[in-house]
Amino acid sequence: MIVFDNVTITFGNGTQALSAVSFAIGVGEFVVVEGHSGAGKTSLMRAVIKDLPISQGKIVIEGDDLAKISPKNLPLLRRKISVVFQDFKLLMDRTVAENIDLALDIIGLEGETIKKRRNELLDLTGLNDKEDYFPVQLSGGESQRVAIARALASEPKVLFADEPTGNLDAKTGMSIIKLLQDINEAGTTVVMATHDLELVKDLKLRRLRLEKGTLVHDSGASHHVK
Amino acid sequence: MSNKNTVLKHIRRSPYQSLAAIFITAVTFFIVSVFALVVLGAYSMLGYFESRPQVTAFFKDDFAIANVESMKSDISNAVSVDAVRYISKDDALEIYKKQNSDNPLLLEMVTADILPASLEVSAKNVKDLETIAGIMQKNASVEEVVFQKDVIDTLRKWVSGVRITGIVLSSLLIFASLTTIIVILGLKFSARKIEIKTLSLIGATSWYIRGPFVSEGIIYAVTGAVLGWGSGYLALLYLTPNIINFLQEIILLPVPVWVMMTMLGSEIALACIIGALASLIATRRYGQ
């Protein structure tokens, strides 16, 4: 479903964010991309939604070469592959409900359908009583849940979560991972980037380990690809 | 949140920027309206004069009435004449008295002796005016020939000048409106860069992002156009009695409602183009 083929990302100043990274992720997998800060996790996620250009190699998503996706079709890619950002990227002047509605409006839903779908997402993420809150009134965990709800609005095939437990305490972090597992069990492929190795050490999940932009370990390798 | 709500939110959040954009477009369309009305009026005046081709010969004091008769027949033989009217010195005084009835001082100072007798010839075709004037000028009794070709030519030059001035001034103001809207929307677009980036990352199309800004630009321009047109119309209504008094028998006013509505429609269409163009440029320029 997602194939990284010798992907290298080099910044303008010569720094290599990713260096000849190759792996494949199959439909319905839950993959953890682990590594310390600066390992290349965020660059990898940004590259998947074409927010960061790759210097070499190829990324293929559902058989389509990312390089061949035109700017006009980019929004469709970004609805198919949603990202939960490390800094949430919630619109601060809009309530929880409005943040979710925005994503639903973008995919062309209207009126009652938006309301119904929003309630489903609020149910799923446990935010029913927070829909009229503004992001500044939410805790880190709640903000993360809003970001997840918004990312799920377009019913993506793949959900990338960049450090979803990054600023959370262990208990809240585990609840977010549980939520991501529920989403994965419902059929969505989930890729989670984290530097918190302790938090995920007991989880029986496929792990990709990045160090200084290089993929040094893949616990699942190719047999996971369906 | 719908596109409409987003646009209204943008406008409400920066009322002074919105006012500046509306003000400059209102001034632009006020000037456009004024020049359009002046040019339309001037063309109507031209039409008035062209539909009444007339040459007037003023006679010397010692002219003989027989000369007038021979001149009449010479003219009738040469061109197709609509009407010929001889105005004696006494008739001229009567006309003068009528025209200056509200100024007794002027009436006291003038007698029939100092006014020339004249012959007014109306041609059926404006092209014949020069022929008529030529016949009149050859007559020894004639002191001066005044014909409307001169008036029409002068008026044409004047209309052309006003039109060019109007086009130049309107173009400059339209450019000023365009750049003002570009700068204002550009600033707003830049200020919302994080939000725009987020929208893009969650799958919003370019049009979804730029749409509210384009609508905003059109709202500014159309509001300005309606205000500018309205101000021009009010000014016209206010000045109508003075203009009627000044033009006397030339009937230009009131301007028909359909003319004003056509002008409003055209200005709204132009405003839509200005607003859309400005916002597209702004979002492209500042969105990079």
Side-chain angles (χ1 to χ4, degrees):
Chain A
M1 185 184 201
I2 299 172
V3 178
F4 269 56
D5 182 9
N6 272 312
V7 174
T8 297
I9 296 174
T10 309
F11 293 128
N13 61 5
T15 310
Q16 275 202 340
L18 288 181
S19 179
V21 170
S22 296
F23 62 84
I25 295 173
V27 177
E29 276 197 88
F30 191 134
V31 178
V32 175
V33 179
E34 57 185 31
H36 296 294
S37 292
K41 306 185 293 296
T42 301
S43 297
L44 183 145
M45 299 222 168
R46 288 181 63 197
V48 168
I49 54 168
K50 226 179 165 182
D51 187 37
L52 193 62
I54 61 172
S55 315
Q56 279 173 31
K58 183 160 86 162
I59 300 174
V60 180
I61 293 167
E62 285 193 317
D64 294 327
D65 186 346
L66 209 62
K68 289 177 184 162
I69 292 177
S70 66
K72 195 183 162 192
N73 288 326
L74 196 54
L76 298 177
L77 170 80
R78 289 175 176 175
R79 292 174 199 175
K80 205 156 61 176
I81 298 174
S82 283
V83 174
V84 179
F85 303 96
Q86 194 171 357
D87 56 356
F88 317 132
K89 292 203 191 299
L90 297 178
L91 302 185
M92 305 308 278
D93 60 344
R94 299 189 194 199
T95 62
V96 168
E98 286 170 348
N99 266 283
I100 297 169
D101 287 356
L102 181 70
L104 295 166
D105 189 44
I106 283 172
I107 60 169
L109 300 186
E110 289 174 356
E112 280 303 304
T113 320
I114 288 185
K115 204 172 168 188
K116 186 168 170 276
R117 179 80 183 124
R118 180 219 302 156
N119 288 337
E120 286 170 7
L121 292 165
L122 289 170
D123 270 345
L124 177 72
T125 49
L127 289 165
N128 308 66
D129 56 338
K130 304 283 182 188
E131 63 177 316
D132 294 326
Y133 282 48
F134 284 91
V136 286
Q137 298 170 300
L138 302 174
S139 67
E142 287 166 341
S143 295
Q144 192 62 266
R145 285 170 183 275
V146 179
I148 292 171
R150 188 183 64 183
L152 291 174
S154 59
E155 299 184 28
K157 293 185 174 175
V158 185
L159 181 68
F160 273 83
D162 190 9
E163 297 281 8
T165 60
N167 301 311
L168 309 178
D169 59 74
K171 190 181 165 197
T172 313
M174 276 315 295
S175 74
I176 293 293
I177 289 173
K178 175 74 179 65
L179 175 61
L180 292 174
Q181 282 180 317
D182 290 344
I183 292 164
N184 176 243
E185 276 165 24
T188 307
T189 304
V190 175
V191 182
M192 182 181 88
T194 183
H195 71 276
D196 192 347
L197 309 183
E198 197 61 31
L199 193 71
V200 292
K201 71 174 182 188
D202 296 327
L203 298 173
K204 289 177 181 162
L205 299 171
R206 179 182 170 196
R207 293 166 191 216
L208 302 175
R209 183 164 180 77
L210 287 172
E211 276 179 18
K212 292 180 183 173
T214 305
L215 183 65
V216 295
H217 175 69
D218 180 353
S219 70
S222 59
H223 71 271
H224 282 89
V225 180
K226 291 176 187 173
Chain B
M1 192 175 284
S2 70
N3 187 310
K4 189 181 83 183
N5 289 342
T6 308
V7 174
L8 294 177
K9 199 172 177 180
H10 285 186
I11 294 172
R12 268 203 313 273
R13 280 184 175 173
S14 47
Y16 294 111
Q17 289 179 356
S18 307
L19 271 178
I22 290 169
F23 179 75
I24 185 73
T25 43
V27 170
T28 299
F29 281 99
F30 175 74
I31 298 294
V32 167
S33 301
V34 168
F35 272 97
L37 286 169
V38 168
V39 170
L40 279 176
Y43 274 117
S44 297
M45 279 172 73
L46 265 177
Y48 172 85
F49 284 116
E50 283 176 345
S51 67
R52 290 166 182 75
Q54 200 175 61
V55 187
T56 305
F58 293 98
F59 294 106
K60 292 173 183 170
D61 284 343
D62 56 350
F63 79 101
I65 196 78
N67 280 350
V68 177
E69 293 306 320
S70 75
M71 194 193 295
K72 272 186 190 176
S73 81
D74 288 348
I75 293 168
S76 300
N77 290 337
V79 296
S80 181
V81 170
D82 191 40
V84 179
R85 184 179 166 213
Y86 171 69
I87 298 167
S88 67
K89 283 175 171 278
D90 291 332
D91 293 338
L93 182 62
E94 283 307 309
I95 294 168
Y96 181 83
K97 279 181 179 173
K98 211 181 225 178
Q99 285 178 344
N100 298 285
S101 57
D102 55 346
N103 198 334
L105 190 65
L106 284 178
L107 296 178
E108 278 174 25
M109 294 166 68
V110 176
T111 61
D113 290 342
I114 63 166
L115 295 173
S118 60
L119 185 72
E120 287 179 1
V121 179
S122 297
K124 284 188 175 163
N125 192 326
V126 72
K127 288 174 187 164
D128 293 332
L129 291 180
E130 267 182 276
T131 312
I132 298 169
I135 293 168
M136 287 173 162
Q137 274 160 343
K138 280 178 196 160
N139 194 304
S141 302
V142 171
E143 186 165 41
E144 188 188 7
V145 175
V146 174
F147 68 115
Q148 286 178 354
K149 188 173 180 301
D150 294 339
V151 177
I152 291 169
D153 285 347
T154 308
L155 197 57
R156 274 220 178 96
K157 280 180 194 161
W158 187 76
V159 172
S160 170
V162 169
R163 202 175 53 182
I164 290 168
T165 309
I167 289 171
V168 170
L169 194 60
S170 299
S171 303
L172 287 173
L173 284 168
I174 286 171
F175 182 71
S177 298
L178 194 76
T179 47
T180 304
I181 298 175
I182 288 173
V183 169
I184 288 171
L185 287 183
L187 288 172
K188 288 188 174 195
F189 200 76
S190 293
R192 308 184 82 79
K193 232 169 182 172
I194 294 172
E195 179 181 333
I196 287 161
K197 175 77 177 169
T198 302
L199 289 174
S200 168
L201 290 174
I202 63 175
T205 58
S206 171
W207 181 245
Y208 186 93
I209 294 168
R210 296 165 79 188
F213 291 93
V214 173
S215 304
E216 196 177 338
I218 292 173
I219 286 173
Y220 290 154
V222 169
T223 309
V226 172
L227 289 175
W229 172 87
S231 310
Y233 199 9
L234 282 178
L236 176 70
L237 293 176
Y238 179 74
L239 294 171
T240 293
N242 296 329
I243 297 170
I244 288 174
N245 194 34
F246 176 72
L247 294 175
Q248 303 216 338
E249 76 265 29
I250 305 172
I251 312 290
L252 297 182
L253 295 168
V255 177
V257 173
W258 72 266
V259 171
M260 291 309 296
M261 288 301 135
T262 305
M263 195 186 289
L264 176 63
S266 309
E267 290 185 10
I268 287 176
L270 179 62
C272 287
I273 294 169
I274 293 172
L277 186 66
S279 43
L280 287 173
I281 293 171
T283 51
R284 187 170 285 272
R285 170 75 184 84
Y286 291 89
Q288 284 169 352

